[in-house]
Amino acid sequence: MTTAPAGLTWQRLRDLELPELTGAADGWRAVSVFADAARERVDGDMSGRLARTQDSESARAAVKRLKRLSENYHYIHTEAGLVRGALDGLASELASPKRRLREALDDAAALGYTVNDNGSIDYPAGGKNELTGDPIPGGSVVGSNGLLGAGNPGLYRDADGMLDPARGPGGPALKSPNPHCARAQDIADRIAHALREAHEIDARYSSALNKLKAAPGLAVDSRTWADAASDVDAVSQAAHTYLEKHLPLDKSPAERKEWWDHLGKEQREEYLSAFPGVIGNLDGIPALVRDEANRENLHLLIGQLDVKHDDASREMLGGLKLIQEKLEKGGKLPMYLLGIGDEGNGRAIIAYGNPDTADNVSAYVPGLGTKLDADFADGTVERALQTARGAQNADPSSSISSIVWLGYDAPQVTPSDLASGNSVMFTNDAKAGAPDYNAFMEGISATHEGGAPHVTAIGHSYGSLTVGLAAQAKGGIPGVDDIILVGSPGTGADNVQDLNVGKGHVFVGAAENDIVTKLPNHAEASGMTSGAVGGGSAGFVLGAGMAGPPGALIGGGAGVLVGGIGGYMAQDAQTDPNEHWFGTDPASRDFGATRFVVGDGKNIIEDHLEMSAHSNYFNPRKDQVSADNIANIVTGNSDRITLATPR
């Protein structure tokens, strides 16, 4: 009889030298570090210098070959780092069952029990039979920990080798009068438990390590990186227990910062190379570190999506590639990738300027229709850059970090979203995103160097609801001094005091022709719907009676329009004019915010049913006064803004 799966015995676990595993991990670390250094040399000293100094066909061909060599080193660095992380995780997790086995074996030796090859325990005679006075014979017990069948409480044999039927699989246990029996059973169970745990750990890591195999040849293409991304997932899944034990996943951003600060260089290298997706998206980790991890994770995500062909994957891939291009191109304002992921509609947090060292930090939450695609990478990200440039012009003596935070699923107006309740008409997405935004902002405060910066939360469109709900949480948005709301349909708050930054620190921009800032309240919307339905029905009937089917269509359309307007007006007369879809209109006098001047924009008819008035707030070419006001608020110079009369 055996108490452990084939291939793993208590002897092997006892004799396992964990330092050999960690030593092997160190060897793979050396390979990973060497490959990374070689890649940097190829990119900088070789291909970079060649591209800067030579302009010929042969030079361009050489740069292309060097690029392939760099990709090979990059791949080696990634895979070697994964092996290193997996081996360290394996050694760390096996330490616990090995220790418990050692303790059980020591207890058996101290009591004079024999541990058999199969993990069963022989124990000696002990005590006396109350009827005969004879010594109670010894026996043998086998550990039970789910390895022999559900419900098995353990088996033992007496000195004659007879199995007690009462202790067969699934049967009730009888208490042996020999005092050694219970002690031996406890030791046997501990051995079985240690073996079962070690086998589960070994199986997890063996499966992950077996996947870390490179395809033949030197080509490193999209499929290679897709495979590497799969390898990262496999190692992360295998090491989930290790990660939960060693990484402060459930701690505050401040505690994570302290944890990172106390790590050694080798530990940091391991976490960055083996778990980039975890480290890169962990609030409280310094911006430079998150940027390094997320650039690596971006490479892996692109490889993963590049081999998929569904529409959602292709859209997200387009956004990721554009972000990668911007990062590689660089600019006067350095970019930092503070978050990236393919959850939901995609996640991306991008900063222009280092938030850990900037004097002024702004974090902008986009709204309706935003997702990780080419439009986000080209348009939404550009708004953060426009804010950064405006802030530099407004206050050249101070440094800026302007962030766009897509750390949640902004609502998408599609039939499926409307049917599920996840649309701009509902608060679901904002409620889900607000705590994550607050955690990110808490991380910004935790990692900042050299004193507290001036921090501004910016919410645009539906994003203003997310910011508003975040501000209404206990204590408000961590570290925030000012709040800017532009193109807002409401914040869920009744007045500015609910946002926890003080009356003079909430600023609102609402273009005259931005219809989102004039969304009807629920009663008005209900009146519009009822009026449209009633008016359309009446118009259809009257039109059909006067001019047949053509008249019915014309009458029905006119009835919808007239009825909708009538229903809206009827409800509008009975409700507070400052009440909007998501609470009090932030631009109203009743709300109490400081309204600043913005351009009117085109009305929706002039704009051919586009909504450009809703999108111009950050763009100095289209709305200079709004962009300037935002820049002054972001730099802490709100006394310079031009004021508008509240509604």
Side-chain angles (χ1 to χ4, degrees):
M1 181 183 296
T2 178
T3 64
L8 181 65
T9 65
W10 65 264
Q11 295 94 331
R12 288 184 177 180
L13 181 58
R14 177 198 62 192
D15 298 337
L16 178 64
E17 294 292 338
L18 296 181
E20 292 183 1
L21 286 175
T22 55
D26 289 341
W28 284 100
R29 170 188 174 270
V31 173
S32 181
V33 170
F34 174 83
D36 195 39
R39 180 182 64 149
E40 289 184 359
R41 185 178 178 189
V42 169
D43 290 344
D45 297 342
M46 298 172 71
S47 65
R49 181 175 299 176
L50 190 61
R52 289 192 302 270
T53 60
Q54 303 293 322
D55 184 18
S56 65
E57 286 297 327
S58 59
R60 284 189 285 273
V63 169
K64 190 174 182 179
R65 288 178 177 273
L66 287 170
K67 176 65 175 176
R68 288 199 295 267
L69 179 60
S70 173
E71 283 292 279
N72 276 276
Y73 279 129
H74 189 181
Y75 180 69
I76 293 170
H77 164 69
T78 300
E79 291 292 304
L82 289 174
V83 176
R84 182 259 186 109
L87 289 174
D88 271 343
L90 176 61
S92 175
E93 289 197 48
L94 283 176
S96 181
K98 178 178 170 63
R99 173 183 54 79
R100 283 199 289 271
L101 172 67
R102 183 72 265 171
E103 291 171 349
L105 294 176
D106 288 345
D107 288 348
L111 292 167
Y113 300 163
T114 299
V115 182
N116 299 310
D117 288 345
N118 68 347
S120 62
I121 305 291
D122 293 341
Y123 60 90
K128 290 185 178 181
N129 188 305
E130 294 182 358
L131 296 178
T132 65
D134 296 330
I136 300 173
S140 179
V141 293
V142 176
S144 64
N145 214 12
L147 294 170
L148 296 174
N152 177 30
L155 305 175
Y156 74 88
R157 297 175 185 272
D158 61 20
D160 297 323
M162 298 298 293
L163 179 67
D164 187 333
R167 294 187 61 122
L174 296 179
K175 183 177 180 181
S176 169
N178 186 331
H180 290 291
C181 180
R183 297 172 191 162
Q185 186 65 61
D186 173 67
I187 294 172
D189 287 347
R190 287 155 59 196
I191 291 173
H193 176 78
L195 282 174
R196 184 184 69 171
E197 184 181 3
H199 178 266
E200 186 274 330
I201 293 168
D202 180 65
R204 263 194 288 121
Y205 282 97
S206 294
S207 175
L209 286 166
N210 285 334
K211 293 179 180 179
L212 304 182
K213 297 177 181 178
L218 295 176
V220 177
D221 54 18
S222 60
R223 290 190 176 276
T224 307
W225 285 114
D227 181 68
S230 177
D231 293 342
V232 171
D233 288 342
V235 171
S236 296
Q237 291 172 14
H240 68 272
T241 302
Y242 173 74
L243 290 173
E244 289 176 354
K245 180 179 179 181
H246 289 82
L247 270 66
L249 302 178
D250 59 347
K251 302 296 184 180
S252 70
E255 290 171 316
R256 292 170 182 165
K257 173 63 165 55
E258 184 179 3
W259 165 80
W260 183 262
D261 287 345
H262 286 84
L263 288 179
K265 179 182 177 182
E266 292 187 5
Q267 287 176 301
R268 291 181 180 181
E269 288 175 353
E270 176 186 339
Y271 294 139
L272 277 169
S273 60
F275 313 109
V278 178
I279 297 299
N281 291 287
L282 205 58
D283 297 320
I285 301 299
L288 288 173
V289 179
R290 292 182 71 163
D291 178 64
E292 180 182 350
N294 284 317
R295 287 180 189 238
E296 179 67 20
N297 198 34
L298 174 64
H299 208 81
L300 297 169
L301 286 171
I302 288 174
Q304 205 169 33
L305 291 171
D306 211 17
V307 296
K308 297 181 179 181
H309 303 289
D310 59 284
D311 291 343
S313 295
R314 304 315 292 179
E315 280 190 347
M316 193 176 295
L317 178 64
L320 292 173
K321 285 186 173 181
L322 279 174
I323 290 172
Q324 186 178 56
E325 287 178 16
K326 289 177 180 288
L327 289 167
E328 292 176 350
K329 183 178 180 181
K332 291 183 180 179
L333 271 170
M335 288 179 68
Y336 297 85
L337 189 58
L338 304 182
I340 199 73
D342 59 356
E343 301 94 328
N345 294 322
R347 301 287 186 268
I349 307 172
I350 297 170
Y352 284 96
N354 187 345
D356 290 349
T357 59
D359 299 316
N360 302 296
V361 179
S362 66
Y364 147 56
V365 182
L368 174 65
T370 309
K371 57 183 175 181
L372 183 49
D373 58 8
D375 288 339
F376 170 82
D378 259 350
T380 308
V381 172
E382 183 71 12
R383 292 173 184 166
L385 179 57
Q386 289 165 342
T387 298
R389 288 172 175 166
Q392 283 187 322
N393 292 331
D395 190 352
S397 65
S398 64
S399 55
I400 180 69
S401 177
S402 176
I403 303 167
V404 54
W405 184 86
L406 184 61
Y408 80 127
D409 278 330
Q412 309 293 313
V413 182
T414 66
S416 60
D417 289 321
L418 290 170
S420 65
N422 295 317
S423 83
V424 72
M425 305 302 289
F426 302 94
T427 61
N428 308 42
D429 293 323
K431 286 181 178 178
D436 292 335
Y437 181 70
N438 277 345
F440 174 76
M441 298 303 281
E442 187 178 354
I444 293 297
S445 295
T447 58
H448 196 272
E449 304 167 9
H454 176 261
V455 181
T456 306
I458 304 176
H460 174 234
S461 186
Y462 186 91
S464 66
L465 175 63
T466 305
V467 168
L469 293 178
Q472 291 173 74
K474 185 178 180 180
I477 303 173
V480 162
D481 300 289
D482 293 314
I483 294 175
I484 299 175
L485 308 169
V486 287
S488 177
T491 63
D494 292 329
N495 59 68
V496 74
Q497 299 296 338
D498 295 336
L499 302 186
N500 290 305
V501 289
K503 184 174 181 179
H505 295 276
V506 178
F507 303 89
V508 175
E512 182 61 30
N513 290 314
D514 182 355
I515 62 173
V516 174
T517 70
K518 299 179 179 180
L519 285 179
N521 59 45
H522 292 265
E524 290 167 344
S526 176
M528 288 174 67
T529 302
S530 300
V533 171
S537 299
F540 184 88
V541 172
L542 291 173
M546 295 175 65
L553 294 175
I554 296 172
V560 167
L561 179 61
V562 173
I565 293 172
Y568 169 81
M569 294 178 65
Q571 289 296 331
D572 182 54
Q574 302 177 47
T575 58
D576 185 341
N578 295 321
E579 187 69 18
H580 278 200
W581 188 265
F582 293 124
T584 305
D585 175 11
S588 70
R589 190 176 303 278
D590 285 354
F591 191 76
T594 301
R595 187 182 182 190
F596 58 87
V597 173
V598 302
D600 289 344
K602 294 180 180 180
N603 66 50
I604 197 167
I605 303 300
E606 294 173 338
D607 209 20
H608 305 291
L609 300 183
E610 296 292 330
M611 294 174 59
S612 62
H614 184 60
S615 307
N616 293 342
Y617 296 101
F618 303 91
N619 192 331
R621 294 188 304 275
K622 296 183 177 181
D623 193 344
Q624 184 70 61
V625 65
S626 176
D628 287 346
N629 283 327
I630 290 173
N632 278 314
I633 297 166
V634 164
T635 55
N637 296 304
S638 59
D639 56 321
R640 300 179 186 173
I641 67 174
T642 52
L643 301 178
T645 303
R647 289 173 178 164

